[in-house]
Amino acid sequence: MSSKILIIGACGQIGSELTFKLRSIYGDENVVASDISYSNLDIVNSGLFEIVDAKDYASVKTCVEKFNIDTIYLMAAMLSATGEKFPMEAWDLNMTSLFNVLNLAKDNFIKKVFWPSSIAVFGTTTPKDYTPQYTIMEPTTVYGMTKQVGERWCEYYFTKYNVDVRSIRYPGIISWKTLPGGGTTDYAVEIYHEAIKNKSYTCFLKEDTKLPMMFMDDAIKATVDIMKAEPETIEIRSSYNLAATSFTPDEVAQSIKKQIPEFEIYYDPDYRQEIANSWPKSINDSYARQDWYWKHQFSLDNITEEMLFQLDKKYN
């Protein structure tokens, strides 16, 4: 029997691309996209769409019952940079939405949950290089705090109530299809847009700030792969480390210059630099590669080639 899937936060950066991917796998009739507004008309007009408030248990439950949903992907969240401006709102959205979905699973309204965590769970005391799966986690942002606490609750609901919840710690995500949504790694998307439009970019992080990054295609692949895996292979029910590549703004600029030699980059670090300083430089994701055979496909130069090719078509 085919899964009936609800994607909450389907109009966001990851949610929108995940929606199209899941529809291609399971069929348009089996994937319901939802968000709090009609902000992404491509999603709204491409299949089943419902207005759902992730913070409202009744709103989510009504949608689940209407469409006989058995699997929820909870992609709604307030990200790191935006969350620092609105800390209480970030806490409320990120935590209330998670409890709503976990409780629906606990009470057997749904069978399976995907919830994304982030490298933001780590902090200044975490080992920076090849950050291990199990390590010190003292996040310094509200976003990171919600993700760390959320991981503990996911494991708790699995242990206490046998909720089939699965999670990965996303690094920075790069996509040409959707604009970023208020994260600290947003420069790695903006830089390609500006390279095509203006041949220059002013970066809000320092040139040597190395962070873990991933092309959207790899992030979507990881999300689909972990949810397709047999339950007994998922050994970690908090959240899996996930990695693809790590690079600095300067390394992105050099990669762009291979194709656009006249490209120039400038640096004007702002409050997001402090957030980036608290995050790892690279990630050890050996458990994901071992347990459900995760394998990334895109290197930095692969990412640059695809981003510039697609954005050149968009702008020119």
Side-chain angles (χ1 to χ4, degrees), residues 12-185:
Q13 184 192 21
I14 300 177
S16 58
E17 298 200 36
L18 179 63
T19 297
F20 288 118
K21 182 64 175 180
L22 292 176
R23 283 175 174 167
S24 73
I25 297 171
Y26 297 102
D28 290 352
E29 70 280 5
N30 292 315
V31 179
V32 181
S34 73
D35 216 304
I36 57 171
S37 72
Y38 299 103
S39 61
N40 187 327
L41 292 180
D42 288 339
I43 292 294
V44 172
N45 296 327
S46 65
L48 296 171
F49 183 87
E50 292 284 306
I51 294 291
V52 171
D53 182 354
K55 296 190 295 181
D56 182 350
Y57 179 84
S59 176
V60 181
K61 182 171 177 283
T62 297
C63 188
V64 165
E65 293 178 324
K66 177 179 178 180
F67 293 98
N68 296 312
I69 298 296
D70 58 50
T71 302
I72 289 181
Y73 291 73
L74 176 56
M75 310 308 292
M78 189 177 293
L79 302 183
S80 59
T82 306
E84 291 307 285
K85 296 177 181 177
F86 308 103
M88 292 300 98
E89 290 88 342
W91 178 266
D92 186 25
L93 171 59
N94 295 1
M95 298 311 303
T96 303
S97 60
L98 176 59
F99 280 124
N100 286 343
V101 172
L102 289 177
N103 284 326
L104 283 168
K106 176 175 75 74
D107 295 335
N108 297 313
F109 289 103
I110 57 174
K111 296 178 180 178
K112 191 187 294 188
V113 174
F114 177 81
W115 175 78
S117 189
S118 165
I119 58 169
V121 296
F122 303 119
T124 56
T125 54
T126 302
K128 295 288 188 186
D129 297 307
Y130 212 46
T131 300
Q133 174 70 42
Y134 300 104
T135 187
I136 299 168
M137 299 199 315
E138 296 182 328
T140 58
T141 64
V142 175
Y143 177 64
M145 289 160 58
T146 66
K147 291 303 183 182
Q148 184 194 27
V149 174
E151 287 188 15
R152 307 319 314 145
W153 279 111
C154 286
E155 187 167 77
Y156 184 88
Y157 270 72
F158 170 75
T159 302
K160 297 290 184 180
Y161 309 120
N162 199 33
V163 169
D164 187 356
V165 57
R166 308 177 185 200
S167 178
I168 51 182
R169 293 170 180 155
Y170 286 127
I173 305 296
I174 302 172
S175 170
W176 58 268
K177 292 181 182 178
T178 51
L179 292 172
T184 301
T185 55

Side-chain angles (χ1 to χ4, degrees), residues 214 217-223 225-226 241-244 285-298:
M214 178 174 289
D217 291 29
D218 276 337
I220 299 299
K221 177 179 182 294
T223 306
D225 285 354
I226 193 173
N241 272 4
L242 193 73
D285 63 351
S286 55
Y287 283 95
R289 294 176 187 271
Q290 168 188 295
D291 290 356
W292 41 278
Y293 309 113
W294 159 245
K295 186 178 181 181
H296 72 281
Q297 297 175 329
F298 286 82

